[in-house]
Amino acid sequence: AQTVTQSQPEMSVQEAETVTLSCTYDTSESDYYLFWYKQPPSRQMILVIRQEAYKQQNATENRFSVNFQKAAKSFSLKISDSQLGDAAMYFCAYRSVYGGATNKLIFGTGTLLAVQP
Amino acid sequence: DVKVTQSSRYLVKRTGEKVFLECVQDMDHENMFWYRQDPGLGLRLIYFSYDVKMKEKGDIPEGYSVSREKKERFSLILESASTNQTSMYLCASSRSGFGNQPQHFGDGTRLSIL
């Protein structure tokens, strides 16, 4: 069975600085998808960025980018030029392509990011 | 934009009550999910549904049941609520398929069982 591990329960960053959130996963599969979700305080969880395992190029969405290391089974999220609105709980998630069309996700335990003004 | 609506943001119920949590999505998604979110445990899948009247157990189905009579609506039922079911409950929906379709989440229901 696949597992997702986020080893940093809490992180803090100064406004305008860069922070990296770690995520590792365990799988025997060669093809899969990885996601980062953001859950602001008392607000809806939203997708930040996604990565297909067959793509070597790291995904980027504006100030958010990933460092995908397939051999190491690592999928870290880098937030550049941090803003106060980036303060949230961040979840890493894994999806197997072999699980059928039901799109089940396996989530990590989350990293709570604080942004200091 | 996809909208997933959960009927209540906050709910307080008593031990032994039958509790219904409702979720509605407006994007004709085939898949719908119920998660439980607890500090330090992340999101754990309770049940999911891949079509009307079709459901499968997730990782922690004990004490819960679900109903999907219409495509847009997915209900989570606590048959006899207990204090260990006090938690945040999140509903999500997604399109079916083998690609990287994301799940879209509701605002969550914070349920307290007294």
Side-chain angles (χ1 to χ4, degrees):
Chain A
Q2 297 83 20
T3 58
V4 177
T5 301
Q6 293 180 250
S7 58
Q8 306 153 317
E10 297 182 12
M11 294 277 287
S12 183
V13 63
Q14 291 291 132
E15 203 174 358
E17 297 292 308
T18 295
V19 64
T20 298
L21 308 184
S22 300
C23 173
T24 58
Y25 56 94
D26 188 25
T27 184
S28 58
E29 298 172 345
S30 59
D31 200 10
Y32 45 85
Y33 301 104
L34 297 165
F35 303 84
W36 277 99
Y37 281 87
K38 169 185 176 182
Q39 185 182 41
S42 300
R43 291 180 61 190
Q44 198 175 60
M45 182 131 68
I46 57 173
L47 177 69
V48 175
I49 199 165
R50 56 187 139 179
Q51 174 83 39
E52 293 86 354
Y54 61 84
K55 288 187 178 178
Q56 292 187 335
Q57 186 173 4
N58 289 325
T60 299
E61 290 285 344
N62 301 312
R63 296 183 295 108
F64 298 86
S65 61
V66 298
N67 183 5
F68 173 49
Q69 301 288 330
K70 191 173 183 179
K73 297 179 184 174
S74 171
F75 182 60
S76 59
L77 175 70
K78 186 171 84 170
I79 306 174
S80 304
D81 186 25
S82 296
Q83 300 175 359
L84 295 178
D86 294 333
M89 181 73 86
Y90 287 83
F91 290 97
C92 178
Y94 173 102
R95 182 204 170 177
S96 169
V97 301
Y98 304 105
T102 56
N103 197 9
K104 288 172 58 179
L105 294 177
I106 299 168
F107 285 89
T109 52
T111 296
L112 182 62
L113 177 67
V115 180
Q116 308 298 331
Chain B
D1 278 354
V2 176
K3 189 155 181 67
V4 179
T5 303
Q6 294 184 230
S7 54
S8 305
R9 290 295 300 272
Y10 302 93
L11 205 55
V12 180
K13 296 290 182 181
R14 297 212 172 269
T15 302
E17 279 192 70
K18 191 168 185 176
V19 181
F20 293 85
L21 302 183
E22 307 286 345
C23 176
V24 177
Q25 51 95 4
D26 67 355
M27 282 301 292
D28 202 36
H29 284 168
E30 294 83 5
N31 300 325
M32 296 189 75
F33 307 83
W34 274 107
Y35 293 93
R36 173 175 170 159
Q37 182 180 0
D38 298 289
L41 297 177
L43 275 71
R44 294 180 291 167
L45 182 64
I46 304 172
Y47 266 97
F48 69 98
S49 169
Y50 50 91
D51 202 349
V52 176
K53 298 188 186 293
M54 306 304 287
K55 60 187 179 185
E56 281 194 26
K57 293 179 180 179
D59 301 317
I60 52 164
E62 296 78 19
Y64 303 95
S65 63
V66 290
S67 173
R68 194 167 181 199
E69 297 296 318
K70 294 185 178 181
K71 192 174 185 180
E72 68 270 19
R73 185 180 298 270
F74 192 35
S75 303
L76 179 69
I77 304 157
L78 285 66
E79 297 290 343
S80 177
S82 63
T83 55
N84 63 12
Q85 292 178 310
T86 291
S87 187
M88 169 72 86
Y89 290 86
L90 294 177
C91 175
S93 73
S94 79
R95 192 160 302 286
S96 182
F98 294 89
N100 63 353
Q101 299 90 338
Q103 292 188 11
H104 302 269
F105 287 83
D107 288 338
T109 296
R110 190 165 292 282
L111 175 65
S112 296
I113 306 295
L114 304 179

